[in-house]
Amino acid sequence: MLLPPSLLVLSLFSISSYAQLSLPSPAWLPPNATAGATATTGSNTSVPNEQWSTLLGDLLYFYEAQRSGKLPSSNRVSWRNNSATSDGSDVNLDLTGGYYDAGDYIKVAFPLSFTLNSICWGAVDFGMGYDLSNQTSYLDSMLRWGLDWLIKMHPSSDTLYVEVADTGIDNAYWGGDQNIPGPRPSFQINDTSPGTDAAAGVSAAFASCSYLYYGGALSPTTIGKSSVNSTAPASLKNTTYADTLLTHAVQIYDFAVNASGGMTLYQNSVPEVQDSYASSGYGDELVMAGLWLSLAVNASQSANSTLNITSPSPQTYYSLAESYYSQFNLAGQNSVFNWDDKTAGTYVLFAQMAFLGFEGANNFSQWQIEAERYLDVVVDPSSSKGAASLTKGGLFYYSGDSNDASLNPALNAAMLLTRYTASGLCSDNDKKAAYLSFAQSQLDYTLGKNPMFVPYVVGLHPNSPINPHSAMSSGGDDINEIDTSPSLSQGNTYVLYGAVVGGPDRFDRFFDIRSDWVENEVALDYNAPMLTLTAMHIVTDDVDPYFTQLQVGENEQVKPKGQPCDDAIQNGCSGHLLSEGGKIALGVVFGVTGLVLIGLLGMWIWTIRKREELPTLAGKAR
């Protein structure tokens, strides 16, 4: 099913702040990590809880530290500078702004679109958490910094820039934001060299965020013991800005499905992204974008919008989503939910929309069954046929996907469980309790209830990681001395408040080594599920987050010696416990060897017995 291009006559490519919310004065700043060791429970309990609010503020602050381009006068990160101010000059465009993707200086549209989609979805569901903690204006600022850059990256209806900067050049640099090496080329997809996944992913980001700015809701219900009676989207309604976002969402989706070059993975058109964020498919992005477009177009028709989009209708987009869901066989999947695979998220969004009574979505029972089939496997990993498991310390672990960032799959799973439960979608109370309990266990693990006694958020507590893999915050400038300048015991020169790191290995061990990007890298998408989970807790929880229970310094008593064995540090693999693949291989070797030995032993016994029988047999023969 293709959208008829003749119906798409929108053209709104200007960028404006559109009455961005005023930021607090004085600005909110993260407290010193020592504040995280102070409990506020007891006589000081309240909603919002101060520690949950601080965590939300820290998580948003991280994005401000990741900003690229000319920084505004409201910049709160004193050690950051204007940077990459010529991005786009190679194609005569202004592609400055946006966010550096991780601990490096590349800017990539595909994972950013997932991040923004995730955060806007969370702000639709639990936006009151931002309001109660006085962080809504910072949420608004954070979203616009990313969305306005994506608008720049979409200069015409059938052109989308997907990456700025060369991964190879960038990976060879370690240092601050003042000497970022060039050239920083701009890579695009277009009508003849398309990228269905990247285009649909960006469309989903624009559509979900436009729905948020229209004031859209997905009707979650109250959970927990909060005195707050309901949840609602964050208070940043702005119809004009929502119109702009929806315009781009509609045009990019049309480009995704109607490009003359057909549907294809975006790395087929832009091989350079193969080393940064290659995609494994595009059916999930097409479904996710279609669902959010159906919601956003419907919202625009009820919000005094000037767009007057009557065709394609909301029902058309919803039907497209259902069609692509079937075409790409998304049913029955148990894959991780992340920037590359949104399939699990579509189960929950389909269920939310059907429960909401969205026109055309009249099959709630079907989506409830499918969503709970997936979520049941999450809370009982033993039923995943080896795809997932729990570490000894209790971390949800996807073999393959968790190896290079263990916390991200676990937190995304917790986010889906929490969203589904809070939306009142569970088929029974036992399932609701199981989902919430498991989600809480993953959040608690991340916040310090783990064998390392480490809350895996930088600057949150004295036990937090101090060596995130971040070139800009490290203070070092020699790629050959990442772990010695500054020393690991000293920590990074600048505290990257609010950054969620990759996380421990599958043995629950965390080494806090700067060069170990597997455990210590930071990334835009790592923070996204934590924002949603934290916003929910602000609305529902007057009890402190787990990290306040940690004893300062107890992490040092259990910190592992030596080095990890992972994709970042191979010299730690000598004598290391075998991977799952290694165990299987060793099992095969020993199995075969054992069979050979047993066979040889049997032959030896048989020979001895035959020799003992030879005289008798000879006598008989004579």
Side-chain angles (χ1 to χ4, degrees):
M1 298 177 67
L2 298 180
L3 296 173
S6 60
L7 296 177
L8 300 170
V9 294
L10 305 172
S11 58
L12 187 62
F13 285 96
S14 60
I15 298 176
S16 171
S17 295
Y18 298 123
Q20 181 171 316
L21 296 179
S22 298
L23 296 170
S25 181
W28 184 90
L29 294 173
N32 186 278
T34 55
T38 304
T40 61
T41 52
S43 60
N44 295 322
T45 58
S46 64
V47 172
N49 172 276
E50 181 180 347
Q51 291 287 10
W52 283 114
S53 295
T54 294
L55 175 57
L56 189 73
D58 280 8
L59 293 166
L60 283 171
Y61 183 89
F62 162 73
Y63 288 100
E64 199 157 313
Q66 294 293 113
R67 284 178 171 178
S68 176
K70 184 178 180 180
L71 302 181
S73 59
S74 59
N75 170 51
R76 295 179 289 168
V77 189
S78 61
W79 48 270
R80 283 301 320 283
N81 304 280
N82 297 336
S83 60
T85 54
S86 298
D87 282 357
S89 59
D90 60 318
V91 291
N92 297 315
L93 291 173
D94 174 13
L95 301 181
T96 61
Y99 293 103
Y100 296 123
D101 168 70
D104 48 19
Y105 294 102
I106 64 171
K107 302 189 298 188
V108 194
F110 192 44
L112 174 62
S113 67
F114 171 77
T115 299
L116 294 171
N117 183 184
S118 177
I119 294 173
C120 284
W121 190 0
V124 166
D125 285 339
F126 307 114
M128 188 175 289
Y130 293 94
D131 292 350
L132 290 174
S133 58
N134 295 319
Q135 291 290 332
T136 302
S137 59
Y138 288 117
L139 169 67
D140 184 35
S141 178
M142 176 269 156
L143 291 174
R144 289 172 186 258
W145 196 267
L147 291 165
D148 285 355
W149 181 70
L150 287 179
I151 289 173
K152 291 182 179 182
M153 298 283 276
H154 183 223
S156 62
S157 60
D158 60 359
T159 300
L160 176 68
Y161 284 86
V162 294
E163 181 169 322
V164 175
D166 180 271
T167 303
I169 295 174
D170 193 77
N171 285 343
Y173 172 69
W174 185 263
D177 58 14
Q178 293 294 278
N179 299 297
I180 301 173
R184 290 175 58 81
S186 307
F187 302 101
Q188 67 166 268
I189 54 175
N190 53 49
D191 186 54
T192 55
S193 298
T196 312
D197 35 22
V202 171
S203 177
F206 280 137
S208 58
C209 293
S210 70
Y211 187 66
L212 172 64
Y213 277 95
Y214 279 130
L218 287 171
S219 300
T221 58
T222 300
I223 58 176
K225 54 184 178 181
S226 170
S227 59
V228 179
N229 294 321
S230 64
T231 53
S235 301
L236 38 63
K237 184 175 181 179
N238 188 310
T239 301
T240 306
Y241 192 54
D243 285 350
T244 298
L245 299 177
L246 181 55
T247 297
H248 287 274
V250 168
Q251 290 185 334
I252 297 176
Y253 190 75
D254 177 56
F255 164 48
V257 301
N258 285 327
S260 62
M263 291 189 181
T264 186
L265 299 174
Y266 83 126
Q267 64 260 29
N268 293 334
S269 297
V270 185
E272 290 80 4
V273 302
Q274 186 70 48
D275 294 330
S276 55
Y277 285 93
S279 170
S280 61
Y282 48 79
D284 52 324
E285 281 85 22
L286 287 170
V287 174
M288 186 66 82
L291 291 177
W292 281 111
L293 277 164
S294 64
L295 286 166
V297 171
N298 184 66
S300 74
Q301 296 173 351
S302 306
N304 298 317
S305 168
T306 60
L307 293 182
N308 192 29
I309 301 176
T310 57
S311 183
S313 67
Q315 290 69 38
T316 298
Y317 283 118
Y318 187 86
S319 295
L320 281 167
E322 286 187 312
S323 176
Y324 287 129
Y325 181 88
S326 298
Q327 178 181 338
F328 292 99
N329 301 311
L330 298 190
Q333 302 297 312
N334 288 316
S335 54
V336 64
F337 180 62
N338 62 12
W339 61 266
D340 182 38
D341 195 336
K342 290 88 171 175
T343 302
T346 67
Y347 302 154
V348 175
L349 186 55
F350 266 123
Q352 282 185 301
M353 292 176 66
F355 186 72
L356 181 66
F358 183 80
E359 187 175 350
N362 54 4
N363 46 1
F364 172 65
S365 177
Q366 170 195 340
W367 296 115
Q368 182 186 55
I369 291 172
E370 181 68 332
E372 292 186 2
R373 176 203 59 77
Y374 176 85
L375 297 174
D376 285 349
V377 172
V378 171
V379 299
D380 180 17
S382 63
S383 65
S384 69
K385 298 180 180 179
S389 61
L390 291 179
T391 66
K392 187 175 180 180
L395 179 65
F396 184 60
Y397 198 94
Y398 269 103
S399 181
D401 290 287
S402 298
N403 297 63
D404 287 344
S406 62
L407 295 175
N408 189 248
L411 288 172
N412 275 319
M415 178 181 65
L416 292 180
L417 288 163
T418 300
R419 167 174 290 118
Y420 186 84
T421 307
S423 297
L425 307 181
C426 289
S427 57
D428 59 63
N429 288 331
D430 288 343
K431 199 173 291 288
K432 175 181 177 179
Y435 287 1
L436 284 178
S437 176
F438 190 85
Q440 188 67 47
S441 73
Q442 300 309 296
L443 181 59
D444 285 347
Y445 184 104
T446 304
L447 295 180
K449 194 175 184 180
N450 56 65
M452 295 287 99
F453 305 111
V454 170
Y456 292 108
V457 183
V458 177
L460 185 64
H461 185 278
N463 293 9
S464 292
I466 62 173
N467 293 297
H469 183 88
S470 165
M472 65 178 74
S473 75
S474 73
D477 58 7
D478 187 341
I479 197 168
N480 296 311
E481 300 293 338
I482 292 179
D483 290 333
T484 56
S485 178
S487 67
L488 295 179
S489 60
Q490 178 182 346
N492 284 14
T493 301
Y494 306 108
V495 180
L496 193 59
Y497 286 103
V500 178
V501 298
D505 66 13
R506 65 190 182 91
F507 305 110
D508 300 295
R509 303 177 310 170
F510 182 71
F511 292 80
D512 201 10
I513 296 174
R514 192 177 300 119
S515 62
D516 186 15
W517 54 262
V518 170
E519 295 190 5
N520 276 51
E521 184 142 36
V522 300
L524 301 178
D525 63 307
Y526 292 1
N527 273 46
M530 275 292 289
L531 274 170
T532 294
L533 290 166
T534 303
M536 185 277 290
H537 274 275
I538 288 171
V539 176
T540 64
D541 206 343
D542 60 358
V543 177
D544 281 344
Y546 188 84
F547 59 82
T548 62
Q549 301 180 37
L550 296 172
Q551 297 299 312
V552 176
E554 63 182 328
N555 58 313
E556 293 297 329
Q557 301 171 22
V558 295
K559 188 173 182 178
K561 305 297 182 182
Q563 293 184 315
C565 171
D566 54 36
D567 289 342
I569 301 179
Q570 293 295 316
N571 59 2
C573 298
S574 177
H576 191 272
L577 291 173
L578 290 172
S579 64
E580 291 300 323
K583 288 180 178 179
I584 293 172
L586 191 60
V588 171
V589 170
F590 277 115
V592 172
T593 302
L595 290 174
V596 172
L597 290 174
I598 291 171
L600 291 173
L601 179 61
M603 290 179 65
W604 178 75
I605 293 173
W606 182 85
T607 301
I608 295 298
R609 287 180 175 175
K610 287 298 182 182
R611 286 178 178 174
E612 291 174 348
E613 293 175 358
L614 278 176
T616 305
L617 291 172
K620 287 181 178 179
R622 282 200 275 285

